[in-house]
């Protein structure tokens, strides 16, 4: 590797002058600074990350922790959109991303080993003790979607809007005449599940409609579970006339089961998805969906984390990114 010493010899300048020029410090003649930068580029000079970390007191890396298997994460558009959003902001601020997948790894280890300057925990669980460890050790962190309002501890977080948009979708189905509306949820330790589940129960009560617990099914967020649970719903003595699916994977699994049974969408059952997939409009028929702006969530999470790293704090503690209901052709009035 080219060293600062070699660059200094090439421009006949002191080691300290070259170091200041390459690190954007003051005290270097503009013409000399230009010569140093040009020569460094010609000689393919790259700063040594460990030495740079000592000078700048940061390593320029953001840890992205996904407490799920790689197989699950790479199949789900949610995670790719989050990573795109994080990388856009991180790269613009001269940070790199370090990805960690899996359930059992310590969230604090990367920070204490000086591999990262802070961490974004994606799709955190509400009961995750590893998240509590990060919070209590005052490590720069952002959780997506974060903890429930009123939690005993506070963590900077970015969440998609889940309650208003879900009520809007449910009200849309009620206005069409549906009363037997199923909801394939995610795990109960997910804030996405608890907020949307709360919206489901609240709206039914507001309209004095009895809640059939058989229509609320807990999935593991996977396509396989969407397929299985949709089968259970269709086997009920009174199957639902409409179903809302928790995410980008549950929806195609449920739809596959519906078509396997020889049923038509939306003539015999209406379907609403939730997620960020661009493919919803390419379904047959195009899928009515609550569109979550997951890439924007990633953008904001990176901004808040970088602010913590560089200033020691952040102005925004809990950010909500709008979601919107997009009505397409997979929903209509219930069958008579």
């Amino acid at each position: 590797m080219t060293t600062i010493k070699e660059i200094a010899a090439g421009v006949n300048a002191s080691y300290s002058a070259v170091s200041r020029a390459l690190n954007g410090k003051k005290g270097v003649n503009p013409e000399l600074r230009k010569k140093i930068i040009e020569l460094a580029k010609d000689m393919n000079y790259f700063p040594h990350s460990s030495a740079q970390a000592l000078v700048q007191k940061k390593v320029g890396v953001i840890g992205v922790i996904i407490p799920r298997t790689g197989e699950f994460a790479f199949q789900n558009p949610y995670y790719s959109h989050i990573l795109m959003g994080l990388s856009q902001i991180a790269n613009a601020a001269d940070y790199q991303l370090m990805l960690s997948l899996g359930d059992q790894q310590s969230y604090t280890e990367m920070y204490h080993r000086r591999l990262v300057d802070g961490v974004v925990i994606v799709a955190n669980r509400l009961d995750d003790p590893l998240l509590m460890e990060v919070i209590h050790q005052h490590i720069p962190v952002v959780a997506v979607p974060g903890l429930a309002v009123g939690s005993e501890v506070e963590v900077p977080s970015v969440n998609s809007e889940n309650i208003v948009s879900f009520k809007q979708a449910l009200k849309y189905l009620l206005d069409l005449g549906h009363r037997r509306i199923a909801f394939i949820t995610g795990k109960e330790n997910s804030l996405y599940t608890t907020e949307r589940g709360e919206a489901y129960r609240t709206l039914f009560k507001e309209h004095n409609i009895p809640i059939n617990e058989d229509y609320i099914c807990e999935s593991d967020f996977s396509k396989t579970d969407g397929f299985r649970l949709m089968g259970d719903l269709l086997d009920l003595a009174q199957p639902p006339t409409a179903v809302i699916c928790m995410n980008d994977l549950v929806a195609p699994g449920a739809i596959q089961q519906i078509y396997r049974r020889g049923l038509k969408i939306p003539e015999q059952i209406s379907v609403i998805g939730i997620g960020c997939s661009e493919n919803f409009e390419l379904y047959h028929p195009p899928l009515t969906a609550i569109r979550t702006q997951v890439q924007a969530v990633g953008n904001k999470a990176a901004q808040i984390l970088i602010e913590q790293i560089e200033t020691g704090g952040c102005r925004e503690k809990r950010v909500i990114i709008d979601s919107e209901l997009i009505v397409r052709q997979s929903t209509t009035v219930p069958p008579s």
Side-chain angles (χ1 to χ4, degrees):
M1 289 178 62
T2 301
T3 65
I4 288 180
K5 188 175 181 179
E6 290 171 322
I7 297 171
V11 295
N12 193 26
S14 68
Y15 178 93
S16 60
V18 173
S19 178
R20 287 196 302 273
L22 293 176
N23 287 289
K25 303 293 184 181
K26 296 179 180 178
V28 183
N29 179 281
E31 291 186 8
L32 177 58
R33 184 189 299 274
K34 182 180 179 182
K35 287 175 62 178
I36 290 170
I37 292 172
E38 289 177 349
L39 182 59
K41 184 177 180 181
D42 291 342
M43 296 178 71
N44 292 319
Y45 168 78
F46 296 97
H48 192 284
S49 59
S50 297
Q52 192 176 46
L54 287 172
V55 173
Q56 298 181 357
K57 296 185 179 179
K58 66 178 184 180
V59 293
V61 180
I62 291 172
V64 181
I65 297 170
I66 299 177
R68 299 297 297 258
T69 65
E71 180 182 9
F72 178 86
F74 292 132
Q75 290 177 352
N76 193 333
Y78 169 88
Y79 294 102
S80 61
H81 281 68
I82 283 279
L83 290 171
M84 282 192 290
L86 289 169
S87 64
Q88 284 175 339
I89 302 301
N91 293 343
D94 289 329
Y95 285 85
Q96 303 298 316
L97 301 183
M98 178 181 288
L99 180 61
S100 174
L101 295 164
D103 284 320
Q104 304 303 321
Q105 299 182 40
S106 168
Y107 300 166
T108 64
E109 183 179 346
M110 289 193 296
Y111 179 80
H112 289 309
R113 291 173 59 194
R114 301 301 297 136
L115 298 175
V116 300
D117 297 303
V119 294
V120 177
I121 302 170
V122 180
N124 67 277
R125 298 183 175 102
L126 295 174
D127 55 357
D128 187 350
L130 299 179
L131 173 58
M132 297 303 115
E133 183 182 356
V134 173
I135 296 169
H136 293 316
Q137 294 187 27
H138 305 291
I139 293 170
V141 61
V142 176
V144 178
L147 301 175
V149 175
S151 296
E152 293 182 3
V153 294
E154 186 179 56
V155 59
S157 64
V158 185
N159 190 5
S160 55
E161 190 288 304
N162 300 315
I163 298 174
V164 174
S165 56
F166 192 94
K167 283 185 176 182
Q168 185 181 4
L170 198 54
K171 178 71 162 50
Y172 165 68
L173 290 174
L174 291 175
D175 288 345
L176 286 173
H178 293 276
R179 294 297 180 269
R180 304 203 307 267
I181 303 171
F183 178 30
I184 302 179
T185 76
K187 291 293 185 182
E188 289 185 358
N189 61 358
S190 163
L191 186 60
Y192 297 122
T193 296
T194 59
E195 289 188 336
R196 290 167 182 157
E198 174 191 337
Y200 181 97
R201 294 179 182 280
T202 298
L203 198 68
F204 264 68
K205 288 178 181 177
E206 288 174 353
H207 286 75
N208 297 313
I209 301 172
I211 295 173
N212 186 338
E213 296 295 338
D214 289 339
Y215 291 158
I216 304 174
C217 306
E218 180 182 319
S219 78
D220 64 1
F221 297 99
S222 71
K223 182 177 179 179
T224 300
D225 244 19
F227 182 86
R228 177 181 65 84
L229 293 169
M230 191 70 242
D232 293 343
L233 289 167
L234 294 175
D235 287 338
L236 293 172
Q238 281 197 316
T241 60
V243 60
I244 302 177
C245 300
M246 185 65 179
N247 70 358
D248 300 280
L249 293 183
V250 169
I255 289 170
Q256 186 178 1
Q257 178 69 260
I258 291 168
Y259 286 142
R260 178 73 62 88
R261 301 294 183 100
L263 300 176
K264 294 181 179 180
I265 301 172
E267 292 87 350
Q268 292 172 284
I269 184 167
S270 291
V271 181
I272 293 180
I274 304 173
C276 58
S277 174
E278 297 92 347
N279 295 328
F280 282 163
E281 61 184 304
L282 303 179
Y283 281 39
H284 181 70
L287 190 66
T288 295
I290 299 171
R291 178 178 175 270
T292 54
Q293 300 184 72
V294 178
Q295 191 167 329
V297 170
N299 286 160
K300 196 61 172 178
Q303 289 172 2
I304 293 174
L305 184 63
I306 291 169
E307 184 181 0
Q308 288 182 66
I309 292 167
E310 298 187 349
T311 70
C314 59
R315 292 161 293 177
E316 299 175 287
K317 295 290 186 182
R318 184 184 293 271
V319 177
I320 307 296
I321 303 295
D322 287 344
S323 301
E324 91 178 288
L325 175 65
I326 300 175
V327 176
R328 299 190 180 98
Q329 286 77 54
S330 67
T331 44
T332 190
V333 296
S336 56

